[in-house]
Amino acid sequence: MNTQADFARWMSAVQQRTETALGAGLPPASQPPARLHEAMRYAVLGGGKRVRPLLVHAAGHLVEADAERLDRIACAVELIHVYSLVHDDMPCMDDDVLRRGKPTVHVEYDEATALLVGDALQTHAFELLAQGTLAATPAAQLGMVALLASASGSHGMAGGQAIDLAAVGRQLSRAELEFMHIRKTGALIRAAILLGARAGNPLPEANHERLDHYGKQVGLLFQVVDDILDAEADTATLGKTAGKDADHDKPTYVSLLGLGEARAYAEELLADALSTLAPLGPRALYLKALAEFIVRRSF
Ligand code: GRG
């Protein structure tokens, strides 16, 4: 990959194959219960940057993994992500009406449907990971199921969300904010990278540790940039309601550090992530480019 244009082509190819794989894997809207299946497809298809699938494929490229294995893993991680968005948007949590540029699932359908969409997407994700062959041995594949489960559960994303809900109206320390975000946003991003890396040639332990550190830094980076965009960008560009963190009195990197320092922290995390990847060689090219993309993105 020599140019920005090569990366853009790779990104677009992965986004397209992810869309195709998601569409083929989800139940058709005509199949009963039709309203639930239609709402699942509404939530998942035709939107989102697909950052987690891109990270799965980028890590898979590092270990020369089979592209069809990576598609299945990418879909599983994206389904967990979409379930979290659907539930997060519900009135009992963030109470939002706009996601990916269209009405949220509970607005377009109803609350009970949104709850079930999230539930069904979550279980569908694990079904995908349990089917077919994704790793060298059944035990290794079982380990992948366990990794996604722990990244999504009370020690990962769901736990981070619980801390987030409890923090509204309070100022958190920097350590507390980091503890929350490493779980809420970071755990799934880190899992996407590690799962992609488990689908191909085994990585030497030292490189596995480097990749895990990169995953942790990129997960945090994603959230710092998300906080900056929430404060700076407009609703039309984001495709979701802008300025919600301040409106809801939520602790963020911007409220804690101010915009300038939050931006500087993002650059620090990026530099650390890139230097961590340096010993991994030329096959880490997409992981490097994605870290840059996460910082420079505008939505
Ligand atoms: C409900 C268990 C449960 C968890 C919710 C991840 C999460 C926890 C809530 C999402 C709310 C939110 C705005 C989190 C901040 C970071 C984030 C995950 C943003 C959205 O991810 P993007 O930008 O979205 O990758 P797209 O739409 O591009 O996929």
Side-chain angles (χ1 to χ4, degrees):
M1 185 176 67
N2 297 317
T3 64
Q4 199 57 33
D6 291 339
F7 175 60
R9 256 194 302 279
W10 174 82
M11 243 179 102
S12 158
V14 172
Q15 285 164 334
Q16 274 169 34
R17 61 183 300 143
T18 302
E19 187 73 17
T20 304
L22 285 167
L26 285 167
S30 56
Q31 203 176 77
R35 186 175 159 83
L36 177 61
H37 290 154
E38 186 194 297
M40 287 164 73
R41 299 183 76 87
Y42 174 86
V44 173
L45 300 176
K49 297 176 287 298
R50 311 298 193 201
V51 166
R52 295 149 194 82
L54 286 160
L55 287 166
V56 169
H57 278 269
H61 183 82
L62 178 73
V63 294
E64 299 178 63
D66 172 71
E68 277 165 30
R69 283 187 182 185
L70 295 175
D71 284 337
R72 189 176 277 272
I73 297 165
C75 287
V77 176
E78 183 69 8
L79 292 177
I80 296 284
H81 169 58
V82 177
Y83 123 68
S84 82
L85 299 179
V86 172
H87 281 187
D88 181 66
D89 288 333
M90 289 181 69
C92 61
M93 294 210 199
D94 215 27
D95 193 9
D96 214 328
V97 295
L98 190 69
R99 172 69 66 182
R100 294 178 166 177
K102 55 188 191 181
T104 46
V105 176
H106 67 276
V107 169
E108 185 70 16
Y109 292 87
D110 53 71
E111 279 185 44
T113 303
L115 193 66
L116 291 172
V117 162
D119 294 341
L121 293 180
Q122 179 172 201
T123 47
H124 188 49
F126 288 104
E127 195 178 334
L128 286 180
L129 268 197
Q131 285 170 343
T133 300
L134 299 178
T137 63
Q141 189 160 341
L142 208 53
M144 292 164 82
V145 175
L147 193 147
L148 186 64
S150 83
S152 313
S154 62
H155 294 293
M157 184 181 75
Q161 177 77 347
I163 299 169
D164 188 351
L165 292 171
V168 172
R170 286 178 51 218
Q171 189 57 271
L172 298 184
S173 69
R174 191 160 173 170
E176 288 172 323
L177 196 63
E178 188 159 308
F179 184 88
M180 171 175 90
H181 286 317
I182 282 176
R183 284 155 185 78
K184 188 180 108 168
T185 317
L188 194 60
I189 287 182
R190 200 169 174 178
I193 294 158
L194 295 179
L195 287 170
R198 287 194 190 188
N201 301 326
L203 267 181
E205 187 52 32
N207 284 354
H208 190 271
E209 273 169 33
R210 283 191 187 98
L211 197 66
D212 191 32
H213 182 71
Y214 161 87
K216 181 180 168 219
Q217 299 304 73
V218 166
L220 254 185
L221 179 60
F222 188 92
Q223 185 60 52
V224 177
V225 174
D226 202 73
D227 288 355
I228 295 171
L229 288 173
D230 184 78
E232 278 202 316
D234 57 71
T235 297
T237 310
L238 291 180
K240 61 181 180 179
T241 313
K244 283 205 75 171
D245 294 338
D247 290 351
H248 287 202
D249 201 12
K250 275 193 165 187
T252 69
Y253 281 100
V254 174
S255 69
L256 186 75
L257 305 176
L259 260 175
E261 245 193 84
R263 273 200 211 99
Y265 184 42
E267 293 299 331
E268 222 178 275
L269 288 167
L270 173 65
D272 186 19
L274 294 180
S275 69
T276 304
L277 288 179
L280 295 181
R283 293 199 72 87
L285 78 174
Y286 297 126
L287 289 167
K288 286 185 189 152
L290 277 171
E292 298 264 6
F293 168 78
I294 286 170
V295 181
R296 314 282 170 232
R297 71 200 166 103
S298 57
F299 66 101

